[in-house]
Amino acid sequence: MKIEDSVKLDFCDVLIRPKRSVLASRSEVSLEREFTFLWSKQKWKGIPIMTSNMDTIGTLSMVSKWTTFWMIGCFHKFFQPNEILEFLHEHPHAVSNSCLSIGMRDGDMQYGREVLQQCPDLKMILIDVANGYSEKFTDYIKEARQSWPNHIIMAGNVVTAEMTEALLLAGADVVKIGIGSGSVCTTRKVAGVGYPQLSAIMECADAAHGMGGHIIADGGCVSPGDVAKAFGAGSDFVMLGGMLAGHDECEGEVIEERDGKKMLFYGMSSETAMRTHYGHVASHRAPEGKAVYVPYKGSVDKTIQEILGGVRSCCTYTGARTLKSLPKCTTFIRVNRQLNTIFGDSQ
C-alpha cells in the first residue's frame, strides 16, 4: 500500500485563464483537426467530438446527426450487422465519420469482422471495456491489430500514463481515458477506483503524444466549458454521453411528470443495462452504473451549437486560432468555486 499525495484535479477544480488575443470573432476559429494515426497510418479530418457508444446515445439517429456536422458518431455494441450496413448504405456521408463498437465478450471479434468485411470503408473501430487494465485486454488489442492492420483502432478505458503506453504498444491508435467520471457511472462508489479526469487527460496525453498516439477524453463533461477544458488539457478527441441524453435522437423510455417530459438514461454497467442486454446481473459482479430520468431537450441541434460555440469562445479568450493550438494557449488556474449559483446552476 502507498499514497500518492500529489494533487489531482477535475474539471470543476479549474478555470482557463484568459489571454490577450488578436481574434476579433468566434467565426475566425477553426475547430477542424487532421490526424494521421500511429499504426493504421489512416488520415481523418473533422471536428474531434464523439458521441458515446452507450445504447441510449449511440443510436442511428444520433450517428446520422453527428456525422452531418463532420463529427464522429459511435454505434453502440448491440446493433445487428445488417442494421449498420443498411444505415451506412442509406447515409453515405456517415461512413468516414462513423465508428463501430465492439467489446471483449465471446463473438465480439467475429461480429466486428462480419461488419467490416461487408463495409470495408468503415475505418474506425472502438474496442470498449470498463476496465482496460487486464493483460487479456492488451492481448485482445494485439489480435485486433493483426486482424485490421489498416483500421483506426480506439481502445479503453484507462486513466494512467503507463497503461496508455501499453495499449499503444499493443496496437491501439487512440486510447480512451476515463474511469468513474461519467454522470451515470458508480465505479468510484462501488469499487473505490477512479482518477480525476482533468489530471488523467493531461498525464495520458503527455504519454500518448510522446509515442505518436492520441487520446479520447471520455466522461466528466457536464457543460461546453468542460469540453473546452478537455481539449485545453491536451485531449485529441472528446466523447460525450450525459450531455447528449434526453434528445430526440436518443433512445429510452419517455415519461410525463408534473415538471415536464423526461427520458431514461443509464450507464452501461448498470443493472438496467445488464438486464436489458444479458437478461440478468451475473452473480460474481455488482452493478457499477445507475439509471436516471433526464429532462427532455428536443433536437440535439441546439446542444451541438452550444458545444461548438462554447469551444470557439474559449479559443477567442485564449488567442487560439485553431483547436490544435488551444493546449499551447491554455493556462489552468485552480479555483474554489467556478460558478455563481445564486439563481441556480443552469439556465
Side-chain angles (χ1 to χ4, degrees):
M1 181 276 292
K2 67 176 183 178
I3 294 177
E4 184 178 330
D5 58 5
S6 59
V7 174
K8 305 298 180 185
L9 301 171
D10 223 324
F11 296 130
C12 61
D13 297 317
V14 300
L15 291 169
I16 296 174
R17 188 175 75 187
K19 294 180 179 177
R20 194 170 181 175
S21 172
V22 297
L23 296 172
S25 168
R26 293 172 179 84
S27 63
E28 296 179 26
V29 174
S30 173
L31 298 183
E32 279 195 352
R33 290 205 59 184
E34 184 171 3
F35 299 102
T36 301
F37 295 99
L38 176 63
W39 294 103
S40 66
K41 305 305 179 185
Q42 293 285 341
K43 293 182 183 294
W44 178 84
K45 185 176 181 180
I47 299 175
I49 304 177
M50 310 170 66
T51 68
S52 170
N53 62 328
M54 304 166 81
D55 64 355
T56 55
I57 305 298
T59 65
L60 299 180
S61 294
M62 188 69 77
V63 172
S64 177
K65 180 59 65 71
W66 218 250
T67 55
T68 300
F69 285 84
W70 218 250
M71 298 187 286
I72 297 173
C74 296
F75 299 110
H76 66 66
K77 302 176 186 178
F78 303 100
F79 286 114
Q80 294 299 316
N82 65 295
E83 294 179 288
I84 294 177
L85 297 170
E86 183 178 338
F87 171 82
L88 293 176
H89 179 73
E90 295 175 355
H91 300 82
H93 75 274
V95 174
S96 59
N97 296 306
S98 296
C99 183
L100 179 69
S101 298
I102 64 172
M104 205 168 56
R105 297 174 68 91
D106 291 343
D108 282 1
M109 189 73 76
Q110 180 56 38
Y111 166 82
R113 291 190 181 107
E114 183 177 344
V115 175
L116 296 175
Q117 184 177 12
Q118 297 181 60
C119 190
D121 292 334
L122 183 60
K123 292 297 184 182
M124 296 185 189
I125 310 161
L126 173 60
I127 305 176
D128 179 49
V129 299
N131 176 6
Y133 282 81
S134 70
E135 187 173 347
K136 181 181 178 182
F137 184 59
T138 305
D139 292 340
Y140 197 79
I141 301 304
K142 293 177 181 177
E143 181 183 353
R145 176 52 67 196
Q146 291 175 350
S147 296
W148 303 301
N150 301 316
H151 283 72
I152 301 163
I153 295 179
M154 306 175 175
N157 281 31
V158 299
V159 288
T160 52
E162 64 271 20
M163 204 63 210
T164 299
E165 292 169 348
L167 294 183
L168 290 171
L169 289 170
D173 291 300
V174 190
V175 179
K176 192 148 69 82
I177 309 302
I179 292 178
S181 54
S183 57
V184 284
C185 177
T186 60
T187 294
R188 294 178 181 180
K189 180 178 180 180
V190 174
V193 174
Y195 209 98
Q197 186 70 342
L198 184 76
S199 289
I201 293 167
M202 295 175 74
E203 295 169 22
C204 295
D206 182 61
H209 296 162
M211 298 176 62
H214 299 88
I215 69 163
I216 301 165
D218 174 26
C221 291
V222 300
S223 66
D226 291 340
V227 179
K229 290 174 188 178
F231 283 125
S235 192
D236 303 290
F237 299 85
V238 176
M239 176 176 277
L240 302 177
M243 284 183 66
L244 306 184
H247 290 95
D248 289 334
E249 293 78 6
C250 298
E251 291 183 5
E253 178 190 9
V254 177
I255 61 172
E256 290 278 359
E257 294 192 344
R258 287 184 178 181
D259 55 347
K261 189 186 297 185
K262 295 189 177 180
M263 183 177 286
L264 182 64
F265 174 55
Y266 53 82
M268 295 311 295
S269 291
S270 66
E271 181 176 351
T272 302
M274 291 183 207
R275 294 194 182 282
T276 298
H277 297 294
Y278 308 119
H280 66 287
V281 179
S283 60
H284 63 277
R285 65 178 299 177
E288 294 181 28
K290 61 185 177 182
V292 297
Y293 283 93
V294 301
Y296 168 70
K297 302 171 187 173
S299 171
V300 77
D301 290 72
K302 181 180 178 182
T303 297
I304 291 173
Q305 181 181 353
E306 290 172 350
I307 293 168
L308 299 183
V311 177
R312 287 192 183 96
S313 183
C314 177
C315 290
T316 60
Y317 271 112
T318 57
R321 191 173 293 276
T322 65
L323 186 60
K324 181 179 180 179
S325 64
L326 182 57
K328 296 179 182 178
C329 298
T330 294
T331 299
F332 289 112
I333 54 173
R334 292 178 61 188
V335 296
N336 294 320
R337 186 178 72 164
Q338 284 196 90
L339 307 172
N340 183 337
T341 59
I342 189 169
F343 295 123
D345 58 4
S346 62
Q347 294 182 347

